[in-house]
Structures are given as structure tokens and as C-alpha cells.
Amino acid sequence: MNKFFLDLGKQPLANNYSSSYKKNQIKYSLKLFFNTKNKMVSISKRIPSEKMFTNNYPYRSSMSKTMTNSFHKLSLEIKKRFKPKKILEIGSNDGALIKNFEKDKVIGVEPCNNLAQITSGKGYLTYNKYWNYNLAQKLKKKHGELDLIYSANTLTHISNLNDVFKSISYLLSTNGILIIEDPSLLECVKKVSYDQFYNEHIYLFSVISVTNFIKKFDLEIFDIKNLETHGGSIRYYIKSVKNKKVKVSNKVKNQFQKEKEFGLDKFNTYKKFAKKVKLSKKKLLNIFNKLKLKNKNVIGYGATAKAVTIINYCKIENDLIKNFVDTTPEKINQYMPGKNIKIIKYKKNSLDNVDYAFLGAWNFKKEIVSKEKKFLKKGGKFIIHVPFPKII
Ligand code: TMP
């Protein structure tokens, strides 16, 4: 049974930036639910993939050093630990991971044409398709069974999870390995980072819910790694239960236990989380309103999809945040979805006349703080909302 616990209001499509402010942009309800049976947390309103993952999708994995370093490190681990003959990446984006492999060793699947073109243009075999069983059948005919499938921040974006795992287990060899990574529900609840929820993030995984969900496909988690990316993610290493060669690491049991102790399997935890989210909104607005009264120059740093959830849920307008700065070419000179707040190209002197910068990309706090030493030195401050709204 799915039980409701939080309403994040009406939200526009999180990555739907537009060149002019559209007052009547379509918004969808963003409500969060907890499944009492398999312990999965998900949003209720499902938007068709074709509306979200379009041919000018603006999110680029290669835009931050944090992500490219993380993918590079993983590629070294994959080569050394699993020695796969062929790797399939579901949601290969602009090639941040696959560029670390030889061209004849990787296959990318990427539904957004603008991104698929980047990797195919560099000579990487890329299927410009949505991940589903039809595609898995086509791939099996062409390439046979695969011994390593990888997917980062993609499977949680696909509504039909049954089809997702059915297709993967169909294509994976008996001793094949599936590696997925996605934001961690435990970290989200701990940090009150409710901005992990937007219409693309249909699910927020935990070791408990993934374990429960993949059982029916004869799959099990045999190892995990906690990552700092995206504000706290988990990398899940998954295999067929029939593969007895690989042992299940104690790390899986420990994380399962940690999540249980925190109460991720109890509805009450989410009711408490919802209360904290409402308080977080109040505190954040308090900060912005005080700065407005003092006539401070406040901007947003990192026009993230997460920031879209915040500004729309907290009803933040351009009197509180003048504009956002961002490095992604696709976002520059566009407007934040749902709001009359423009995104400006990030330049070295972007923060020269800024008093406060709201960290829309709080997940890159380390990288940004070390880049903006000059801003901090001259008295500039960041506003962050996790784990509670404050000025740093
Ligand atoms: P993400 O949190 O969804 O990965 O998006 C990060 C966004 O922040 C992306 O649009 C790039 C932007 N960004 C900057 O503008 N400057 C930076 O220094 C970093 C790290 C990210």
C-alpha cells in the first residue's frame, strides 16, 4: 500500500528551462508516498519520459570535476575488479563514464538526442533510445548477453521499474554484474534534502527497497559503496542469485541495518521528515526575507533541478534571488522553470558584487567553496539549506 507523506506543491518539469519567462508553464503535483510493502519511496504523478528526456536535455554529467573524477575512478575499478568484455551504460549522458573505456568495449544507451550525438560523434556506439524490454531484445540479438551493465542516476527516472529490471536480467549473463548508483534515501532523510525529489526522480532508492524489489528477478546486492556525489549516493553492485562465485559483502548487511535503525522501513520516519521539510521552508524564507530587508545582493549558484524544487515549493521569486549563475551552456540565458529568475553565464567575476549566494548546487559545496575563495575572503557568504537553512 502506498501511503502519502509530503506535498511539495505544483512543480514545473525540473529541466524545462526556457528562453523567456512563461507565467503559464504547465505544473504538476509533486506528492511523496511510502510503499509499506517493499519500503520504496516514490512520487505519485508520473510524467511520460518523452516529455522530460527530450532532444535538448540540459543536464550534462561532464560539467563538474566531482562527477568526472568519480566516473574515472569507477572505470579503473571496473577494469581491475570485473574485467568485463563489454560494458553497457544505460543513460550514458554526454559520455562522462564511457569516455574512460576503449571504443569497442562500451555501448551507450541515451534517449536524449543532443547527448547521444556527443558520444556517437566521438565514435562510441550509442543507441538513442529509451531503456526498455524491446531495446534489451534488440541488444541481445546484436551483442549477445553482456557481462557488465552500469547505470548512474537513470533507473530511478523510469516509471516502470519492473520492466527496467526484467530487461536488465534478460540481457545480463548468469555471472554478469549490474552496477547502479543513485541518491541515497537515508542521506536525503538525514539531510532533509527534499530537493532530491522532482518529477524526474520517481524513486529514491535504499538498500532495503532495492533488496526487496529485485528479489523477484533473482537478483541480489552483493556489495555497496557510499558516495559523496549528488549529496550522498549509494553504488549498488548486483548479481544473479545463481552466481555463487561472488560472495555477498558484510557492507550490504551493515547498510541494511543502518537504514533499519534509522527507520527507513517505518512510515512514521517519513511523517517526521515531512515536518522537518515544512520547518526548513520557513527557515529558508526567513533568511531570504531578512536579506531583502537589508537590501543585500543575493543570487543563486548552480541552476540545478534540485533548486527548481526549492524555489517552486518555497515560492521564491526574483525579489529574493535576483538570478542564478551556472556553467552549463544549455542553461545560460534561460529562465528557472516556473519562475521569472534568469540564469546567467558563470564568469570569474560573477560574484564580485554579490553579498550572498544560495547554493543550488550544494552537493558540490567542496568544489565551489574552494573555487570561490576570493568571494569568501571579501566577506561574501553562501546560503545552504542542508541539513537546515543557514548562512556559511
Ligand atoms: P546537479 O546538482 O544536478 O549535478 O547540477 C549541478 C549544476 O551546477 C550544473 O548545472 C552545473 C552547475 N555548477 C556550476 O555552475 N558551477 C560549479 O562550480 C559546479 C560544481 C556546478
Side-chain angles (χ1 to χ4, degrees):
M1 188 177 119
N2 276 328
K3 283 175 92 172
F4 164 80
F5 65 90
L6 180 63
D7 186 351
L8 290 172
K10 293 270 184 208
Q11 296 275 352
L13 292 181
N15 273 301
N16 195 6
Y17 301 85
S18 53
S19 55
S20 61
Y21 168 54
K22 295 204 172 76
K23 203 171 175 200
N24 296 322
Q25 192 168 12
I26 302 175
K27 293 188 178 177
Y28 304 88
S29 130
L30 187 64
K31 289 188 178 152
L32 314 188
F33 286 79
F34 171 68
N35 186 301
T36 50
K37 204 167 163 220
N38 64 15
K39 320 295 180 193
M40 189 72 85
V41 165
S42 64
I43 65 170
S44 56
K45 177 83 189 156
R46 310 289 167 90
I47 320 284
S49 299
E50 294 77 11
K51 278 198 172 169
M52 298 191 284
F53 308 110
T54 58
N55 290 340
N56 48 15
Y57 189 70
Y59 181 77
R60 299 268 305 267
S61 308
S62 299
M63 281 297 125
S64 90
K65 272 194 204 130
T66 312
M67 290 312 291
T68 46
N69 288 346
S70 172
F71 287 132
H72 177 66
K73 240 167 105 183
L74 173 68
S75 72
L76 297 177
E77 181 192 332
I78 287 178
K79 287 177 202 170
K80 199 168 161 208
R81 186 172 174 190
F82 302 112
K83 302 177 185 70
K85 285 195 218 71
K86 205 132 210 162
I87 298 152
L88 170 77
E89 185 180 16
I90 304 170
S92 48
N93 199 276
D94 61 358
L97 176 85
I98 62 175
K99 71 172 184 202
N100 295 293
F101 295 95
E102 287 159 47
K103 292 191 173 116
D104 60 342
K105 282 217 156 178
V106 280
I107 305 164
V109 170
E110 175 50 60
C112 305
N113 185 258
N114 60 319
L115 300 172
Q117 270 184 17
I118 297 176
T119 49
S120 54
K122 288 180 184 158
Y124 288 95
L125 177 59
T126 312
Y127 288 83
N128 180 206
K129 297 243 181 271
Y130 292 94
W131 177 250
N132 57 32
Y133 194 65
N134 272 347
L135 179 62
Q137 283 178 309
K138 194 173 158 190
L139 290 174
K140 195 163 173 174
K141 244 189 217 157
K142 189 118 200 257
H143 306 280
E145 288 184 334
L146 298 175
D147 50 4
L148 200 136
I149 299 180
Y150 173 75
S151 188
N153 306 305
T154 299
L155 303 192
T156 48
H157 295 53
I158 308 175
S159 180
N160 190 346
L161 261 197
N162 277 313
D163 184 76
V164 164
F165 284 104
K166 178 183 149 190
S167 316
I168 288 173
S169 60
Y170 166 79
L171 193 56
L172 205 60
S173 61
T174 310
N175 291 330
I177 305 292
L178 165 67
I179 307 174
I180 60 176
E181 62 184 75
D182 287 277
S184 152
L185 178 63
L186 181 62
E187 290 304 311
C188 164
V189 177
K190 270 189 184 168
K191 292 183 177 131
V192 199
S193 54
Y194 60 92
D195 50 342
Q196 291 289 9
F197 293 98
Y198 42 91
N199 20 54
E200 287 179 11
H201 283 186
I202 296 166
Y203 304 94
L204 218 60
F205 285 168
S206 63
V207 164
I208 295 179
S209 64
V210 172
T211 301
N212 291 337
F213 199 88
I214 64 178
K215 250 183 219 156
K216 55 178 175 270
F217 303 99
D218 279 344
L219 295 170
E220 64 181 353
I221 307 169
F222 67 91
D223 200 2
I224 59 128
K225 194 169 271 173
N226 277 291
L227 307 168
E228 282 189 16
T229 53
H230 289 291
S233 297
I234 297 181
R235 183 175 290 152
Y236 306 82
Y237 298 78
I238 294 169
K239 67 174 186 68
S240 161
V241 290
K242 290 174 206 136
N243 176 357
K244 305 281 181 208
K245 280 194 219 159
V246 179
K247 294 275 160 284
V248 177
S249 158
N250 275 340
K251 282 196 230 158
V252 182
K253 208 168 68 193
N254 293 345
Q255 179 73 19
F256 195 98
Q257 208 47 40
K258 222 162 86 184
E259 293 179 355
K260 234 181 146 170
E261 275 159 23
F262 194 85
L264 285 195
D265 57 339
K266 303 258 173 359
F267 181 61
N268 200 30
T269 304
Y270 302 97
K271 280 200 330 207
K272 279 196 223 155
F273 170 72
K275 270 191 196 153
K276 286 187 187 166
V277 170
K278 286 170 199 159
L279 193 63
S280 174
K281 173 182 178 175
K282 247 191 204 166
K283 283 188 174 166
L284 187 64
L285 283 172
N286 221 344
I287 291 176
F288 281 123
N289 282 318
K290 274 188 183 155
L291 296 177
K292 184 186 166 188
L293 283 176
K294 289 183 187 163
N295 270 327
K296 296 290 181 192
N297 189 10
V298 184
I299 63 144
Y301 195 116
T304 59
K306 290 188 277 298
V308 173
T309 293
I310 296 190
I311 58 175
N312 283 282
Y313 173 60
C314 298
K315 301 193 167 56
I316 292 171
E317 311 292 340
N318 60 12
D319 59 330
L320 300 184
I321 296 182
K322 207 167 84 185
N323 46 52
F324 272 76
V325 291
D326 201 286
T327 51
T328 312
E330 285 80 353
K331 294 183 185 176
I332 291 162
N333 290 330
Q334 305 283 309
Y335 281 75
M336 289 296 279
K339 296 288 166 197
N340 191 3
I341 306 179
K342 197 171 180 179
I343 305 162
I344 290 169
K345 183 179 180 169
Y346 173 83
K347 291 189 192 129
K348 273 203 171 135
N349 63 357
S350 283
L351 302 190
D352 279 2
N353 298 312
V354 168
D355 300 309
Y356 292 82
F358 169 64
L359 272 178
W362 60 269
N363 43 316
F364 295 112
K365 187 176 125 194
K366 259 192 211 159
E367 186 175 333
I368 293 170
V369 166
S370 82
K371 199 159 95 181
E372 303 302 346
K373 284 194 190 106
K374 196 178 102 197
F375 168 64
L376 291 166
K377 217 171 163 188
K378 72 160 184 69
K381 296 209 159 39
F382 286 111
I383 304 166
I384 192 164
H385 72 285
V386 292
F388 52 86
K390 61 183 170 194
I391 290 169
I392 50 167

